[in-house]
Amino acid sequence: MDLDEMFGEGWCITLAPRPLTETLRLMGVANPVPCPEGLDQAAHFLQEHQGEGDFVLGREMPSGWILTIESEGWIGSDDDVLRTLAADGRTAISAYRDPDTKTATIAHDGAILGRLELSGGYFDGLSDSVDTTHPVIGSLTAAGFDASDACEPTGEADTQEPDGCLILAVRVLTGVTLTAADFEGPWTGGLSCTAF
């Protein structure tokens, strides 16, 4: 799966364990509506019915997880939004791509736990900024993501493919193995009033 090929150099995906409508509302979508299947059709439908702006599309995944996608938007990666999605003992992950970086942010129980540099398979920042004793971080380091200053992943996380690191992190945290088919729909979404 190549997310850049699918969405270009500006996208954000988020996985959160909340109901679909609640997830979209927490991401600023006041009136989520069902959209035609396929991202292009859904985006066109929303532009025709809601105007121009930042759209968030979401769909249900296995085990109660919700997948959202934004094209040229990064609402899901905002720390405040991600903390809210991960409140009350939940875990959420959001990954974004801009022309310069691919980064995933992990939140649990209303707190940001760390950021993964997906191009390298390691936690961004100094090692003392990541609580390696936290069970969520421990599950990622057990999969090979490096939380030390060495920035040297091992095992499955030792790949040159950023999308492979993202798929691994999502699988470890959610149990969901993302595939290209997961982005085909059906979708529910709308214009977000939260712009970052």
Side-chain angles (χ1 to χ4, degrees):
M1 181 172 74
D2 186 336
L3 292 171
D4 289 350
E5 186 176 302
M6 292 168 66
F7 307 119
E9 290 188 345
W11 50 262
C12 178
I13 65 168
T14 304
L15 281 102
R18 293 183 173 272
L20 178 58
T21 301
E22 179 184 356
T23 298
L24 291 170
R25 288 194 173 134
L26 290 172
M27 294 178 76
V29 178
N31 298 306
V33 295
C35 302
E37 289 192 30
L39 287 170
D40 291 338
Q41 297 92 332
H44 183 70
F45 174 83
L46 289 172
Q47 285 175 346
E48 282 185 345
H49 292 88
Q50 296 185 353
E52 296 290 327
D54 291 330
F55 296 103
V56 181
L57 296 170
R59 69 180 300 235
E60 295 177 357
M61 300 292 289
S63 303
W65 289 90
I66 300 301
L67 169 67
T68 69
I69 180 77
E70 304 165 64
S71 179
E72 301 296 329
W74 295 271
I75 294 163
S77 66
D78 177 75
D79 285 355
D80 290 337
V81 171
L82 200 56
R83 281 186 195 102
T84 302
L85 291 171
D88 304 321
R90 294 176 173 94
T91 300
I93 180 172
S94 184
Y96 74 92
R97 166 77 156 118
D98 65 23
D100 299 321
T101 188
K102 277 189 184 178
T103 303
T105 304
I106 294 93
H108 176 77
D109 199 19
I112 301 298
L113 299 182
R115 289 172 175 50
L116 289 173
E117 173 54 55
L118 295 174
S119 297
Y122 55 86
F123 283 88
D124 193 20
L126 299 174
S127 61
D128 60 0
S129 68
V130 178
D131 180 4
T132 57
T133 65
H134 194 286
V136 171
I137 299 299
S139 67
L140 291 165
T141 58
F145 289 100
D146 190 8
S148 75
D149 292 336
C151 302
E152 294 180 8
T154 59
E156 285 185 85
D158 186 15
T159 175
Q160 297 297 316
E161 298 299 323
D163 292 341
C165 281
L166 174 59
I167 291 167
L168 173 60
V170 167
R171 187 179 78 228
V172 167
L173 295 175
T174 70
V176 173
T177 300
L178 289 176
T179 67
D182 293 323
F183 295 94
E184 293 173 3
W187 296 98
T188 297
L191 183 65
S192 176
C193 59
T194 306
F196 297 101

